[in-house]
Amino acid sequence: MNDIRKVPASAGAEWLLDGFRLLKRSPFGLGTLGIIFGALGLLSSLAAQHGQSALGMTLQLAFVLIGPLLLAGMIFAAREVDEGRGATPAHLLRGVREGKAGRLIGTLIPQFVAMLVLAALLIAMLGPQGLQDMAQTVEKLQGQVNPDPALVAQLPLGRLMAWFALAIVVGVVAGFFTFTSVPDMMFGDVRLFASMGRSVRACLRNLGAMAVFFLLAVIAVVALNVGATVLGLVVRAIAGDLAMLVVVQLVMMAVLMPVMTSAMYFAWKAMLGPAPAAAAPSAGAGIEV
């Protein structure tokens, strides 16, 4: 098992840029995988929004469970493209075919724990009665074009902002457990908890690169969202709100998922993957004059 390598802070930017370069190399192959991911997520969301509560909940639960499998498939496809081969939809189930479905789904554990921690923090910071009062206030504010300042003043904004700040920290920590664990399991055949431990140690050893990556990733997501929304507004003028929702979701996922999963692959490759082969000595090396 390879040692965790130290990389410069600039590596965080390189991972993201390499993700965009890989998508540029295979826009149809990788983009199709992102569209499939986005379409499945959109299907579950629409089922829940249109009154199909049982079906919607079932589809959303199914999407949550297969999400890590699709993520692993896209990371596998990224390596295929990086090594000069093509990406195909069949890659999405590569983890299942290799018998790794259980450990891949296990990467949901840090997210589940993070949700429990955030719920406990919210209850501790607001209290059960405070949560109930806030829910009633939010319900009254819904549908108001011009929110009543008196109602807004009743919201515990200070404590909510503090909770959001803690949520970011908890989310980042949870992300450290899975940032390189999926490629570690796919390409290094590392077990679930060992891969998560290696992922945390790799992220902590390379906090500079992780900070640069997350900062640039947020900027990229915001820029992509703005572009997709502008395109969606044009589509809405022609085909309506539903068409706008579909276009924005699929455009976002067609770009975002391939870029981010490719960046995870490149991060694993830099910090945990096989060490680069030593350069062969030149023909004149070692010849004394």
Side-chain angles (χ1 to χ4, degrees):
M1 191 173 293
N2 303 298
D3 293 332
I4 297 170
R5 292 187 288 275
K6 177 73 174 176
V7 299
S10 60
E14 293 173 3
W15 301 335
L16 194 62
L17 291 174
D18 285 340
F20 279 105
R21 292 191 190 105
L22 218 57
L23 179 59
K24 183 179 179 181
R25 189 188 303 177
S26 178
F28 180 77
L30 293 177
T32 298
L33 303 188
I35 289 174
I36 293 173
F37 185 94
L40 292 173
L42 184 62
L43 177 63
S44 63
S45 297
L46 289 176
Q49 292 174 9
H50 286 76
Q52 305 293 332
S53 57
L55 176 61
M57 290 181 63
T58 301
L59 289 176
Q60 286 184 325
L61 177 60
F63 181 70
V64 168
L65 292 177
I66 67 171
L69 306 180
L70 301 178
L71 188 74
M74 296 187 72
I75 290 174
F76 182 87
R79 188 181 71 165
E80 292 294 287
V81 175
D82 182 45
E83 295 182 352
R85 295 180 290 272
T88 69
H91 289 146
L92 290 176
L93 295 178
R94 181 74 184 198
V96 176
R97 291 200 297 271
E98 293 188 0
K100 299 176 180 178
R103 69 179 86 169
L104 290 171
I105 293 175
T107 58
L108 293 172
I109 293 174
Q111 300 177 37
F112 179 72
V113 172
M115 290 175 59
L116 293 179
V117 170
L118 290 175
L121 285 173
L122 189 61
I123 294 173
M125 296 173 72
L126 299 181
Q129 186 60 44
L131 282 174
Q132 184 177 351
D133 294 341
M134 185 180 70
Q136 293 175 351
T137 302
V138 170
E139 185 177 356
K140 293 177 183 178
L141 287 170
Q142 287 179 348
Q144 294 186 8
V145 178
N146 297 311
D148 185 353
L151 287 176
V152 174
Q154 295 178 13
L155 294 173
L157 297 179
R159 282 174 288 174
L160 284 177
M161 291 300 294
W163 182 82
F164 281 125
L166 289 173
I168 293 173
V169 174
V170 171
V172 169
V173 172
F176 280 4
F177 280 88
T178 57
F179 188 65
T180 63
S181 63
V182 174
D184 220 14
M185 288 187 285
M186 290 296 293
F187 307 134
D189 200 26
V190 183
R191 305 301 298 181
L192 172 62
F193 291 106
S195 70
M196 290 197 294
R198 278 161 54 85
S199 181
V200 170
R201 293 195 299 274
C203 291
L204 291 176
R205 188 175 184 192
N206 294 283
L207 281 176
M210 296 302 300
V212 171
F213 173 77
F214 280 125
L215 176 62
L216 294 181
V218 169
I219 295 173
V221 169
V222 171
L224 178 59
N225 185 62
V226 170
T229 301
V230 170
L231 177 61
L233 290 172
V234 175
V235 172
R236 185 176 69 173
I238 300 172
D241 291 339
L242 180 59
M244 175 184 174
L245 176 63
V246 171
V247 167
V248 170
Q249 172 80 353
L250 296 187
V251 168
M252 285 284 293
M253 293 297 101
V255 178
L256 187 62
M257 289 306 299
V259 169
M260 293 304 171
T261 52
S262 296
M264 292 168 68
Y265 158 69
F266 284 114
W268 169 83
K269 187 177 178 181
M271 296 187 293
L272 294 167
S282 61
I287 300 177
E288 295 184 2
V289 178

